[in-house]
Amino acid sequence: MKQLSSVFERFNINEINPLGLKFDPNSHQAIGMVDGDGEPNSVAQVLQKGYALNERVIRPALVMVAKPKA
């Protein structure tokens, strides 16, 4: 794990973990919507972390988005 972390740091690869942030289709991929206590259209659950290389998304984070209350 230490070797993987050092390689990520050396090549400027950053983890995308958007839990609680507003949904951004440029760096997140929505799988579905769930009832949530948080703000509508925010990330309620992260299913798979994403990664960015030099601020460019190489794999979007797979997320569940909170539904707006009816």
Side-chain angles (χ1 to χ4, degrees):
M1 189 66 179
K2 284 184 178 182
Q3 287 179 333
L4 182 62
S5 296
S6 68
V7 169
F8 277 22
E9 188 176 313
R10 187 174 345 136
F11 291 104
N12 199 22
I13 298 173
N14 299 315
E15 203 174 81
I16 300 172
N17 190 2
L19 187 61
L21 300 176
K22 186 169 173 66
F23 176 71
D24 177 12
N26 295 318
S27 59
H28 311 142
Q29 181 177 354
I31 299 299
M33 296 186 86
V34 294
D35 292 326
D37 297 333
E39 183 179 329
N41 298 324
S42 65
V43 176
Q45 186 178 21
V46 178
L47 303 173
Q48 186 178 31
K49 295 177 189 173
Y51 293 94
L53 171 66
N54 295 325
E55 304 301 320
R56 290 187 65 185
V57 176
I58 57 176
R59 183 173 87 180
L62 299 177
V63 299
M64 299 291 279
V65 179
K67 285 183 188 178
K69 293 181 179 156

